[in-house]
Amino acid sequence: MELTAALRKDVARLAKTKYRRELGLFVAEGTKCVLDTLPHFRCRYLFATEAWLDGHAAALPASAEAIRVKQSDIERMSSMTSPQPVMAVYEIPDDSPLQPGACENELIVALDRVQDPGNLGTILRLCDWFGVRHVLAAHDTADVYSPKVVQATMGAISRVQVHYCELAAELARLSATMPVYGTFLDGDNLYRCDLQRSHGVIVMGNEGRGISPEVEATVSHRLLIPSYPPDEPTSESLNVAMATAIMLAEFRR
């Protein structure tokens, strides 16, 4: 198969949500990201330069049939400022709901309208590091298949499944069998609480507005990440990805 002008345009269009949804495809770029994701998604196209293939042919699955292209072709398809010599186009998997009872003994992260792609990608990378395999996301959370999110996950998108849902309703259902934690300025000190470390839901809110009232109503444990030293002037809040890192580290401690 050869790269045609029409195909090149279609791949470039995948930087936009409209075309990802229309075509059911998303893009992963760069050596690490592509090699991490190839075994986990159905690959429609794999584009790589001759030099890249010479150096990585042994690492490719037998099913991966590469289309040899020039670096200038990748630059015309890529959304990166400094495109690497390989990119893959995958089929977007079906958005399967979280099955009842499937995660009762696991830790889950829930995202209430987290809209920055870099934050979402970093949170998925943190979940991967701390062994969280399922993330619930409100429908107006950033698209996990946008190029910026995929790159920021550093391959974690292969191992962490994001379930878009009516978040308040899903949390209300889960709260019957597991604790639901949320971070609030009037919450209890995270480091002094008796946490159910093996299971539960950790809710993280929007970058500017925090956790919505509808989702807040489902939270059973209100937590605070305390500043240090107490009662001294400090930053207004933490970045949501930074806060997620602190929460997950304490739950896994």
Side-chain angles (χ1 to χ4, degrees), residues 236-251:
E236 180 181 357
S237 63
L238 290 172
N239 169 276
V240 65
M242 295 169 62
T244 303
I246 293 169
M247 293 285 285
L248 288 174
E250 181 61 18
F251 271 81

Side-chain angles (χ1 to χ4, degrees), residues 20 60 82 117 129 143 233:
R20 288 196 299 275
L60 296 178
S82 299
W129 183 264
D143 180 9

Side-chain angles (χ1 to χ4, degrees), residues 46-103:
L46 176 63
F47 304 104
T49 64
E50 191 82 34
W52 189 91
L53 288 171
D54 288 344
H56 298 87
L60 296 178
S63 59
E65 183 178 348
I67 301 174
R68 297 170 186 267
V69 296
K70 298 176 181 178
Q71 180 64 27
S72 58
D73 292 319
I74 289 182
E75 290 171 358
R76 294 174 71 178
M77 293 185 288
S78 174
S79 61
M80 298 177 67
T81 53
S82 299
Q84 297 187 41
V86 60
M87 64 190 306
V89 177
Y90 297 113
E91 296 179 10
I92 294 177
D94 293 335
D95 190 8
S96 59
L98 189 67
Q99 296 300 315
C103 301

Side-chain angles (χ1 to χ4, degrees), residues 175-193:
S175 66
T177 57
M178 61 174 62
V180 178
Y181 299 92
T183 54
F184 300 90
L185 293 177
D186 63 351
D188 297 322
N189 189 319
L190 171 66
Y191 305 120
R192 297 175 182 170
C193 291

